[in-house]
Amino acid sequence: GAVVSQHPSRVICKSGTSVKIECRSLDFQATTMFWYRQFPKQSLMLMATSNEGSKATYEQGVEKDKFLINHASLTLSTLTVTSAHPEDSSFYICSARGERGYNEQFFGPGTRLTVL
Amino acid sequence: DAKTTQPPSMDCAEGRAANLPCNHSTISGNEYVYWYRQIHSQGPQYIIHGLKNNETNEMASLIITEDRKSSTLILPHATLRDTAVYYCIVRVNNAGNMLTFGGGTRLMVKP
């Protein structure tokens, strides 16, 4: 299957700072990327969907001004957690879908964010 | 997308087949059944998907009942590395559709 990478894999930051997480599709062009969040012992919750070159669509209850998503190219999407607080501590996972078809959605390894 | 129901947890002996059930009684005719798994602190990994017919690949087999209201994922010879949360998801394959995860089944493979 296709490879999706995330960077960093783990980040610890102070409350009030902003953190940027990168998601890259390494061997295919991702027309659509998804960002999920997962709290301990819970399932993945979709935060937003982004298509290359257009604004992201956020799920209900997700603050778009707090979680800034940029999908500037077909291989890169970024999620910026602005003014992070301890309750934003979570496992953030990106996923990408390519042009080959809608059957396949590939996931990154995730980024563990801890806000102190 | 149709909702799925899975047992929250299951145990399996190493080397034996693991049979993971999933109910999707409200599935519609154009919805596929997908299985993903998530090993602890990793991103989900695609396993298999199908529409009507049974499917098999190098990882697993997917058995879908004739009425499509339930399915079973079979790992023929479970290993310790198969310990993970397994998610059954039904969805329509179109541009606007993403994967929506339910609670999944936590499979523990024991020596």
Side-chain angles (χ1 to χ4, degrees), chain A residues 4 11 13 18-19 29 40 49-50 53 58 64 75 82 86 89 95-96 98 102-103 114:
Chain A
V4 176
V11 57
C13 69
S18 294
V19 174
Q29 293 187 324
T49 302
S50 72
Y58 290 81
K64 62 180 180 181
T75 60
T82 62
S89 298
S95 178
Y102 310 125
N103 285 337
T114 303

Side-chain angles (χ1 to χ4, degrees), chain B residues 14-34:
Chain B
E14 188 179 19
R16 305 295 295 269
N19 297 288
L20 293 95
C22 179
N23 285 320
H24 31 79
S25 58
T26 59
I27 192 170
S28 58
N30 60 348
E31 287 183 309
Y32 287 72
V33 180
Y34 281 77

Side-chain angles (χ1 to χ4, degrees), chain A residues 1-102:
Chain A
V3 178
V4 176
S5 70
Q6 279 185 246
H7 178 80
S9 59
R10 185 182 294 267
V11 57
I12 300 172
C13 69
K14 292 182 178 179
S15 185
T17 61
S18 294
V19 174
K20 180 184 284 189
I21 302 170
E22 290 187 351
C23 175
R24 293 182 185 272
S25 56
L26 299 186
D27 51 1
F28 69 103
Q29 293 187 324
T31 51
T32 305
M33 285 188 168
F34 307 92
W35 287 94
Y36 293 81
R37 179 169 53 182
Q38 186 176 32
F39 293 108
K41 298 191 184 300
Q42 294 186 23
S43 188
L44 285 78
M45 296 297 295
L46 180 68
M47 298 175 66
T49 302
S50 72
N51 293 298
E52 184 263 340
S54 59
K55 290 184 178 181
T57 301
Y58 290 81
E59 295 299 301
Q60 192 172 11
V62 178
E63 300 175 57
K64 62 180 180 181
D65 294 332
K66 181 169 184 62
F67 299 99
L68 302 179
I69 291 172
N70 185 289
H71 190 169
S73 78
L74 286 172
T75 60
L76 173 65
S77 176
T78 60
L79 168 68
T80 302
V81 183
T82 62
S83 187
H85 288 98
E87 57 265 31
D88 299 322
S89 298
S90 188
F91 192 49
Y92 291 87
I93 305 168
C94 75
S95 178
R97 189 165 63 201
E99 297 171 320
R100 287 193 295 177
Y102 310 125

Side-chain angles (χ1 to χ4, degrees), chain A residues 10 32 34 36 38 41-46 49 51 59 91 93 95 97 102-110 112, chain B residues 32 34 36 38 40-46 49 87 91-104 106:
Chain A
R10 185 182 294 267
T32 305
F34 307 92
Y36 293 81
Q38 186 176 32
K41 298 191 184 300
Q42 294 186 23
S43 188
L44 285 78
M45 296 297 295
L46 180 68
T49 302
N51 293 298
E59 295 299 301
F91 192 49
I93 305 168
S95 178
R97 189 165 63 201
Y102 310 125
N103 285 337
E104 301 176 32
Q105 187 172 331
F106 304 100
F107 288 83
R112 175 79 55 194
Chain B
Y32 287 72
Y34 281 77
Y36 279 75
Q38 186 179 25
H40 182 63
S41 292
Q42 296 184 25
Q45 176 189 21
Y46 167 82
H49 77 280
Y87 295 99
R91 64 177 282 254
V92 177
N93 281 342
N94 61 37
N97 241 340
M98 72 298 290
L99 291 167
T100 302
F101 290 81
R106 187 172 298 275

